[in-house]
Amino acid sequence: MNTLIVISVLPIVLLYLGLYKMQKALLPVTIVGLLVALGLAVSQWGENRVPEYHGMMLFNNFSIAFSSIAIISTILILLLSKGYFERISQHIAEYYAIILFSLAGVIVMVSYYNLTMLFIGIEIMSVSLYILAGIKKNDFASNEAALKYFLMGAFSTGFLLFGITLVYGSTGSFGLDGIQSFVLAHSFGVDPLLYTGIILIIVGLCFKVGVAPFHFWTPDVYEGSPTLITAFMSTVSKTASFAAFLRLFATCFPVFYTFWLPVLVIIAIITLFVGNITALYQQSFKRMLAYSSISHAGYLLFAILALGASSANSIFIYASAYSIASIIAFGALILIQQETGSDSFESFNGLARKNPFLAFVLTVSMLSLAGIPLTAGFIGKFFMFNTVLAHYHTGLAIVAVINAIISIFYYFRVIVAMYFRTTERAQIVVPSYYIFVFGFSALATIIIGVYPQFITNLI
């Protein structure tokens, strides 16, 4: 709870710093505050925790692990914000504050133990992201992204809220332990309203994580939003949504596994093919990352399809690998856009000759996202494939392998452009903050890929 308190109070401190024109202190204070929050979270690791505040929240190892990766990802993303918001407005304290408010919603989402807190966490995170998507006031694409995200988000919230209502009407409880007790006691004669509620919750959560066929908002919102905000959506928001998804289904609905399994299997298969095949035809690097994120959501669904003791570890490892690789990709895109004003694949031509370090870390990112061995992305995919094979979902594993091969083609387009195509370009100045983020993320990607026990032993 101390972590949530620090992250909730920190935005107010930043707003006061902005009020008194202490702009240079905003980023350092934010980073220090997040490091304190991270330390408070990790300090509770291993404690035998029970639900708190009348069963509303549960701060156990599960929530600590996912809170930690969310905070670390946010720190890395905010380090890329040095000078970024200044180009949009003189009042930058508000941007930092809204990002932290969204992170507070994320912490609630991974720590809830009551469906009302799940709903509150999603709304805190989502409303903040609606605002952040449209922070470029005179940019039509940014404004359109914010409006589309808001409308589709409201639509998905309606499904989620209606599903929660039906679950409450059937079980008489919003608490996960109360729902679990009801389900175990009535597993052979459940009210059809409960089944309907489960389906509606699946639809609502699938909208939030951006899986097909509920992905319509994702490409346009990712493309129109400022790149830094897209990085936050793609990593922190997605990780939290899957953690929340897993906690609900692992705690309350494993008894109905045969009921909701076919639904999620179909969704996962559609998601993989839609995400990967559509990504092949994109000419925009940013839009390719959007469809790529859809395909990765399909892989993350595997841990829920193969529900078991290893599901949380699988999502944590895969989300960690995906997050650090994506942060490199979006950070490099920010620099490329500043130099060329474009996010097309052609804007990466000849990058290796002028900026070998930038090309190297981006190559590591692409290899990891593609799941190539000796990268963290390969370890993440290995855990996911191993999870579904352990539950005898052989057909799903074959589909996943086919789609992994497809993804290699569009990720390697970037590598080919950087190393095998030439154009006249100036050298990009990479700020020290970016060098740290790129170096840290690339090193973590390689270490996890070469020595996976580094992360598996931690969890």
Side-chain angles (χ1 to χ4, degrees):
M1 188 63 183
N2 292 333
T3 300
L4 181 58
I5 292 172
V6 169
I7 293 175
S8 299
V9 172
L10 187 57
I12 300 173
V13 174
L14 296 178
L15 290 174
Y16 273 103
L17 291 176
L19 180 64
Y20 291 104
K21 308 299 182 184
M22 301 174 66
Q23 311 287 20
K24 292 184 179 180
L26 291 172
L27 183 57
V29 170
T30 302
I31 300 303
V32 170
L34 289 175
L35 288 173
V36 170
L38 177 62
L40 290 172
V42 173
S43 67
Q44 295 182 322
W45 182 266
E47 295 183 10
N48 187 19
R49 311 291 293 185
V50 296
E52 301 177 52
Y53 307 105
H54 302 285
M56 301 294 281
M57 306 287 284
L58 175 60
F59 300 99
N60 59 357
N61 286 356
F62 178 91
S63 62
I64 292 171
F66 283 101
S67 295
S68 298
I69 189 60
I71 293 171
I72 292 171
S73 298
T74 303
I75 290 173
L76 294 175
I77 291 169
L78 288 178
L79 285 173
L80 301 178
S81 71
K82 179 68 174 178
Y84 187 86
F85 295 124
E86 286 84 347
R87 290 188 291 272
I88 300 173
S89 172
Q90 295 181 344
H91 308 285
I92 62 175
E94 289 82 355
Y95 301 133
Y96 287 104
I98 296 172
I99 289 174
L100 292 179
F101 280 131
S102 183
L103 180 60
V106 165
I107 302 302
V108 174
M109 286 175 63
V110 301
S111 307
Y112 78 96
Y113 207 66
N114 187 292
L115 291 181
T116 56
M117 295 308 298
L118 169 62
F119 180 77
I120 289 171
I122 288 176
E123 289 308 295
I124 293 173
M125 180 191 74
S126 299
V127 171
S128 301
L129 291 178
Y130 300 154
I131 298 169
L132 291 169
I135 59 175
K136 290 186 177 180
K137 297 180 181 179
N138 298 319
D139 189 313
F140 177 78
S142 179
N143 297 336
E144 181 187 19
L147 180 60
K148 184 171 290 188
Y149 194 19
F150 171 74
L151 292 176
M152 297 303 291
F155 190 60
S156 65
T157 296
F159 275 99
L160 181 63
L161 187 58
F162 196 24
I164 290 173
T165 302
L166 292 181
V167 169
Y168 173 76
S170 299
T171 64
S173 175
F174 286 117
L176 299 194
D177 51 355
I179 297 171
Q180 181 188 57
S181 299
F182 178 88
V183 167
L184 292 175
H186 301 82
S187 57
F188 297 103
V190 179
D191 188 335
L193 286 179
L194 180 57
Y195 288 124
T196 307
I198 293 172
I199 292 296
L200 291 175
I201 288 175
I202 289 175
V203 173
L205 290 176
C206 283
F207 264 108
K208 295 299 181 184
V209 299
V211 297
F214 312 103
H215 67 290
F216 305 107
W217 61 272
T218 307
D220 292 338
V221 172
Y222 276 37
E223 184 179 30
S225 301
T227 302
L228 192 74
I229 305 306
T230 305
F232 187 87
M233 291 181 189
S234 180
T235 56
V236 179
S237 173
K238 190 178 292 290
T239 299
S241 298
F242 271 102
F245 204 151
L246 177 63
R247 169 166 277 189
L248 176 59
F249 277 72
T251 304
C252 298
F253 305 131
V255 173
F256 303 137
Y257 183 74
T258 55
F259 167 69
W260 51 259
L261 174 65
V263 177
L264 288 185
V265 167
I266 293 171
I267 290 174
I269 293 173
I270 294 174
T271 299
L272 289 173
F273 279 111
V274 168
N276 284 302
I277 293 176
T278 313
L280 281 173
Y281 295 97
Q282 302 306 309
Q283 300 304 314
S284 161
F285 179 72
K286 192 176 183 183
R287 200 168 179 87
M288 180 275 284
L289 289 177
Y291 281 104
S292 161
S293 75
I294 294 170
S295 69
H296 285 290
Y299 291 115
L300 283 163
L301 276 178
F302 286 7
I304 300 174
L305 292 172
L307 201 60
S310 63
S311 293
N313 286 351
S314 298
I315 288 183
F316 178 80
I317 293 169
Y318 195 102
S320 299
Y322 169 73
S323 295
I324 56 179
S326 295
I327 288 170
I328 295 174
F330 283 110
L333 178 59
I334 290 173
L335 296 177
I336 293 292
Q337 285 178 318
Q338 290 174 2
E339 184 215 8
T340 66
S342 171
D343 65 350
S344 66
F345 285 97
E346 286 73 20
S347 60
F348 292 86
N349 288 351
L351 184 65
R353 188 171 59 180
K354 293 290 186 179
N355 291 89
F357 172 75
L358 185 57
F360 169 74
V361 295
L362 187 53
T363 299
V364 171
S365 169
M366 294 297 102
L367 293 176
S368 183
L369 290 173
I372 301 301
L374 302 183
T375 64
F378 171 78
I379 301 302
K381 279 191 170 63
F382 173 80
F383 268 81
M384 287 300 177
F385 289 5
N386 187 56
T387 299
V388 295
L389 287 173
H391 286 70
Y392 305 104
H393 299 307
T394 308
L396 189 59
I398 294 172
V399 169
V401 171
I402 292 171
N403 278 273
I405 294 171
I406 294 173
S407 70
I408 292 174
F409 289 94
Y410 58 80
Y411 287 126
F412 272 61
R413 285 182 66 186
V414 184
I415 299 174
V416 169
M418 291 190 297
Y419 287 94
F420 299 103
R421 293 179 182 167
T422 59
T423 187
E424 292 297 326
R425 66 183 309 144
Q427 183 179 16
I428 298 175
V429 177
V430 183
S432 57
Y433 285 96
Y434 279 72
I435 292 174
F436 172 79
V437 173
F438 290 156
F440 174 85
S441 301
L443 184 62
T445 298
I446 295 171
I447 289 175
I448 295 172
V450 174
Y451 182 65
Q453 292 83 357
F454 173 76
I455 190 168
T456 56
N457 289 343
L458 287 177
I459 58 177

